[in-house]
Amino acid sequence: MDSVMWSRLLTAETLGFHIIWATIGVGVPIFISLAEGWGIYKKDPHYILMAKRWTRGFVITVAVGVVTGTCIGLMLSLLWPQFMKLVGNIISLPLFLETFAFFFEAIFLGIYLYTWDRFKNPIYHWLTSIPIIIGSTLSAVFITTVNAFMNTPQGFKLDKITGKISDIDPIAAMLNPSTPSQVAHVVSSAYLTSGFLLAGIAAYHILKGRKHDYYKKALRLTMISGFVLAILTIIAGDLSGKFLAKHQPAKLAAAEWHFETQTHAPLIIGGTLDEKTLEVKNAIVIPNVLSILAHNTPSGKVIGLKDIPRDEWPPLYIHYLFDIMVLIGVYLLIVSGLFLFCLIRKKRNEWNKWLLRSIVLGAPLAFIAIEAGWIYAEVGRQPWIINKIMRVDQAATTATQVDSMFYLFTALYIALTLIASMVLIRLFRNKGPEAELEKIASHSSGGMKNAT
Amino acid sequence: MPLELIGITVLWTFLYGYVIIASIDFGAGFFSYYSMLTKKEHIVSQIIDRYLSPVWEVTNVFLVFFFVGLVGFFPDTAYYYGTALLIPGGIALLLLSIRGSFYAFANYGARKSRIYMFLYGITGLFIPASLSTVLTISEGGFIEKVGENVVFHADRLLMSPYSWSVVFLALVSILYISASFLTFYADKANDIQARDLLRRYALFWSGPTILASLLVFWGISKHNPEHFRSMLDIAWMFVASLICFFVAIYLIWKKKRLGLAFTFVMLQFAFAFYGYGFGHLPYLLYPYITIQSALTNSTMGWALVIAFIAGLCLLIPSLYLLLRLFLFNAKYVQGRK
C-alpha cells in the first residue's frame, strides 16, 4: 500500500477512536450539570451523588479524549501537509477557536473537580459546570465547522492555474452551507449518546437487582432527556438529508443507491447491490420517502448517481452505514418513548425487564450509530478531501514511514481502550452508591429530606 | 508592528508559556516517580499532587495553541515540517498520549499503580527530547527540498552534536525549572521537609543547565554561524539571562524569597528563549521559510489576532480564578481544603 492509503487508515483509526471519547466529553457534562442542579434545587443528595459519580468516570474518559484530540490535531499536518498548506489559512480560525474553547473547559474542569466542598453555597459549585458545558460544546461546534468546510468549501478564491488561494473570508468559510445541519446533528447526537450511556449503566444495575431509588432517579433523568434529544437528533438528521440533496447529491445518492434522477424517489433499506448492473435486490423499498426526505414533497426531484461522473462516486457500501445510523436513531427514539409512556401511564411498569434490557442495549448501539454516521459522512465525500477542490491522493504526505506509525498508534489505542476500561471498572466495582449515600446520611443527621 | 512579527511573537510567547508550564509538569512527574523509588514518596508526592491535579489539562493546551497558530499564520510550515516530522512528531504524540492518559489513570483511578506512575514519570523526560528536535531542525541542514519533495535526513539529526546538546539542555532545564518551582510551592505549604529536598534538586540541576546552555551556544556557532552572529548582536539578553540565573540560585541557596527566586528562573529562561528566537528571525526554517514568505494571507492573520485577543479576555480571568483557588490559596496549598 502507498502512503495515501496508510494515511487514510491512520486518520480513520485515530478519528474513529477519538470520537468515542469526544462524544462522552461533549455529552456527559450536560447530564452532570443537570443532576447537580436538580439535586440542589430539590435538596436531594441522590442527584448530587449522581453528579459526583458521573464526574469521577468522566475525568478518565476526558483524559483519553484530550490526548487523542491532540493526536488528530497534529496528524492533520503530519499526514496531510499539502492539505494544510492549501487551506491551513482558511481553517485555522475555527481550529484556533476550538483550542480556546477547550482551554476554557480545561480550566473549569480543574476547578469543578476540586471545589466540591469549597463554597458555602452549593450554587457556586454548580455554576462552574456551566463553562465546562459551554467549552466542550463549543469545541465540538468549531471543529465541526472545519469538517463542514471540507464538505462545502467557500469563503475564498482558488486560482486554478497557480493553485493559490486568495480573498479569504474566514467567517464565510466557517458559516458554510454544511455548518448548521452538521453542527446540530453532531451536538444533539453526542448528547443523546451520552444520555443512553448513563441510562444503560443505571438500567444494568436495576436488572442486576439493585433496588435503590438512586438508580431509578438516574434512569428517569437520562431517559426523559434522552427522549427529547432523540427527537432533536432525528430532526437534525432530517435537515442534513435535505442539505445533502441540495449541496452534496453524490453522498445522498450513494447512501440510498439512487441511480436515476427522478421524482417520487423511493427509500431503500438494506438489500444487496450488483455493482455491475447497479441492480438492487432483497431491499425494503418505501415509495416516495426519499423525495420527501430530500424535499418534503413526493414530487421532489432527487439527483441520481448516473448524473455524476463515475470517478466522483463515493464507495457504495456507505448505504449500509446510513441504514445502521438511521435505524439505531429510530430505535433510541422508540425505547426512550416507551419508557416515558410507561412512566406517565402509572398502570404500566417502566421497570419492565425487556424495556430495561432494551435500554442497556441502546448504549452500545448509540456509539455504533455515531461511528457509522461519521464513516458515512467521511467516506461519502470520497474521492474528495475538500469537496470539488482537492482529491485525497493529492493531499497525503510523501513520507514513507506512515505504515510503522499506523502500527504504533494501533497498539496505543488498543492499550488505552483496555486500560481505561480496566480503570473504570475498578473505579466503580464493589463501590455502589448505596454505601456512599449511607455515609452522607450519617454525616448530616437529619435536615435533608429524601435522604434514605 | 507588521502582522508577521505580531504573529510570531504571539506564537513564541505561547511556546515560552508551554516551556515553563510543561517543564514544571514533566519535572514533577519525574520527581514523583523518583521519590516513589527512593521511598521519599511521603515527603513530596502530596505537594506535587496538590499542584498538578487541577492544572494538568491546561498544560497540553499551550502546545496545541502553538502548533495550530503556527499553521494558521504560516501554512507553509505545515508543508515542510509536516512532511519531515512524521517520525519525531508521531513519537512525541505517542508519548504525550501515554503521559496524559496515565496521569488520569494514576490519579483519578481507583488506586495508585507503580506502572502508571512509571509511564507517567518517564515519558515526561522523553517528550521534551522529541519536541526539541523541532527547534534543532529549524536551524536548517536536516530538511532538504529535492524537486517537489521534502526530504528529511534523520541520520544527520541523530549524528549531530548540536542536536544532542539541545536535547541535553531540554532535559536538565525541565528538572531545574520544576524543582525551583516546587521548592517555592512547598515553602508556601510550610512543608519544610519537602522544601529542603526539592531545593537540593534545584541546586543540583542548576549546574548542568548552565553547562548545557553553553554547549548549545557552541553548537549553534558551528551549525549555523549566521544565527550565532545575530545572537551575538543581542548578547545583552544572554548576559541578562545569566544574571537572573545567579540571582535565582543565590535566593534558593539562602532559602529566601522563593517566589521571587522562581520569578528569576522564569526571567532567566525568558531572556534566553526570546534572545534565541529573535536571533532566529526572519527564518522559520533555515533557509526555506521566512516569516515574510510564509505569511500568505493577511485577512486570516488579523482574524487570528482578533480571536486571540478575544480569547485572552476570556482566559485570563479564568486562569486567574484557577490560580486564586489552587496556587495562591494558602489553605489549599497546605492541604487544609
Side-chain angles (χ1 to χ4, degrees), chain B residues 60-104:
Chain B
N60 232 4
V61 189
F62 276 89
L63 179 66
V64 180
F65 252 120
F66 174 74
F67 67 70
V68 167
L70 186 69
V71 171
F73 274 108
F74 310 109
D76 272 7
T77 54
Y79 176 63
Y80 281 94
Y81 284 113
T83 310
L85 288 175
L86 181 69
I87 297 288
I91 291 172
L93 274 182
L94 195 75
L95 294 170
L96 278 170
S97 308
I98 293 174
R99 195 180 141 80
S101 40
F102 278 84
Y103 179 79

Side-chain angles (χ1 to χ4, degrees), chain B residues 17 27 69 139 215-216 229 319 329 337:
Chain B
E139 294 292 337
L215 268 179
V216 167
R229 267 196 303 280
L319 268 177
N329 184 304
K337 230 175 182 180

Side-chain angles (χ1 to χ4, degrees), chain B residues 146-190:
Chain B
V146 183
E148 275 304 293
N149 278 343
V150 175
V151 183
F152 172 52
H153 299 286
D155 50 329
R156 285 191 208 165
L157 186 73
L158 287 174
M159 301 297 283
S160 152
Y162 171 62
S163 132
W164 287 107
S165 67
V166 173
V167 168
F168 180 52
L169 176 64
L171 269 182
V172 292
S173 49
I174 59 163
L175 295 171
Y176 166 62
I177 294 175
S178 184
S180 53
F181 173 79
L182 291 169
T183 309
F184 154 65
Y185 197 69
D187 188 56
K188 265 192 82 107
N190 278 334

Side-chain angles (χ1 to χ4, degrees), chain B residues 23-322:
Chain B
S23 294
I24 297 176
D25 189 10
F26 293 148
F30 177 75
F31 290 135
S32 222
Y33 177 68
Y34 180 72
S35 65
M36 196 182 211
L37 277 188
T38 51
K39 305 260 184 298
K40 286 177 184 154
E41 198 188 359
H42 55 285
I43 304 178
V44 290
S45 71
Q46 205 204 358
I47 288 288
I48 291 174
D49 285 351
R50 286 194 86 75
Y51 164 72
L52 279 184
S53 302
V55 301
W56 67 274
E57 229 193 323
V58 175
T59 315
N60 232 4
V61 189
F62 276 89
L63 179 66
V64 180
F65 252 120
F66 174 74
F67 67 70
V68 167
L70 186 69
V71 171
F73 274 108
F74 310 109
D76 272 7
T77 54
Y79 176 63
Y80 281 94
Y81 284 113
T83 310
L85 288 175
L86 181 69
I87 297 288
I91 291 172
L93 274 182
L94 195 75
L95 294 170
L96 278 170
S97 308
I98 293 174
R99 195 180 141 80
S101 40
F102 278 84
Y103 179 79
F105 297 161
N107 286 281
Y108 302 112
R111 64 186 168 95
K112 280 227 171 200
S113 148
R114 286 183 83 90
I115 302 167
Y116 295 173
M117 289 298 289
F118 168 73
L119 285 171
Y120 170 64
I122 214 72
T123 46
L125 294 184
F126 287 110
I127 294 168
S130 61
L131 288 179
S132 66
T133 54
V134 183
L135 283 183
T136 313
I137 289 170
S138 77
E139 294 292 337
F142 304 106
I143 291 181
E144 221 173 355
K145 194 167 182 193
V146 183
E148 275 304 293
N149 278 343
V150 175
V151 183
F152 172 52
H153 299 286
D155 50 329
R156 285 191 208 165
L157 186 73
L158 287 174
M159 301 297 283
S160 152
Y162 171 62
S163 132
W164 287 107
S165 67
V166 173
V167 168
F168 180 52
L169 176 64
L171 269 182
V172 292
S173 49
I174 59 163
L175 295 171
Y176 166 62
I177 294 175
S178 184
S180 53
F181 173 79
L182 291 169
T183 309
F184 154 65
Y185 197 69
D187 188 56
K188 265 192 82 107
N190 278 334
D191 190 337
I192 305 297
Q193 236 190 333
R195 184 198 68 186
D196 289 347
L197 183 65
L198 290 160
R199 171 177 161 273
R200 252 189 292 148
Y201 293 159
L203 294 174
F204 179 80
W205 289 109
S206 64
T209 303
I210 281 302
L211 183 71
S213 315
L214 294 175
L215 268 179
V216 167
F217 266 107
W218 177 76
I220 291 182
S221 75
K222 288 273 172 237
H223 187 88
N224 187 342
E226 193 183 338
H227 186 188
F228 185 68
R229 267 196 303 280
S230 59
M231 273 164 69
L232 283 185
D233 290 342
I234 43 167
W236 66 270
M237 291 190 80
F238 300 98
V239 175
S241 170
L242 194 65
I243 294 170
C244 292
F245 167 76
F246 286 126
V247 175
I249 288 300
Y250 174 79
L251 290 172
I252 293 174
W253 180 261
K254 289 279 175 197
K255 300 184 194 172
K256 274 197 302 203
R257 313 198 52 190
L258 292 167
L260 189 68
F262 182 67
T263 313
F264 272 99
V265 171
M266 276 170 58
L267 281 175
Q268 175 201 338
F269 279 88
F271 276 120
F273 193 74
Y274 281 90
Y276 168 85
F278 192 74
H280 204 290
L281 290 181
Y283 292 105
L284 289 172
L285 171 63
Y286 185 87
Y288 296 108
I289 322 175
T290 64
I291 50 172
Q292 287 88 4
S293 74
L295 183 88
T296 44
N297 186 277
S298 54
T299 328
M300 198 58 196
W302 285 116
L304 284 178
V305 170
I306 293 167
F308 174 72
I309 293 168
L312 279 190
C313 292
L314 190 72
L315 284 184
I316 288 174
S318 336
L319 268 177
Y320 175 73
L321 182 66
L322 186 76

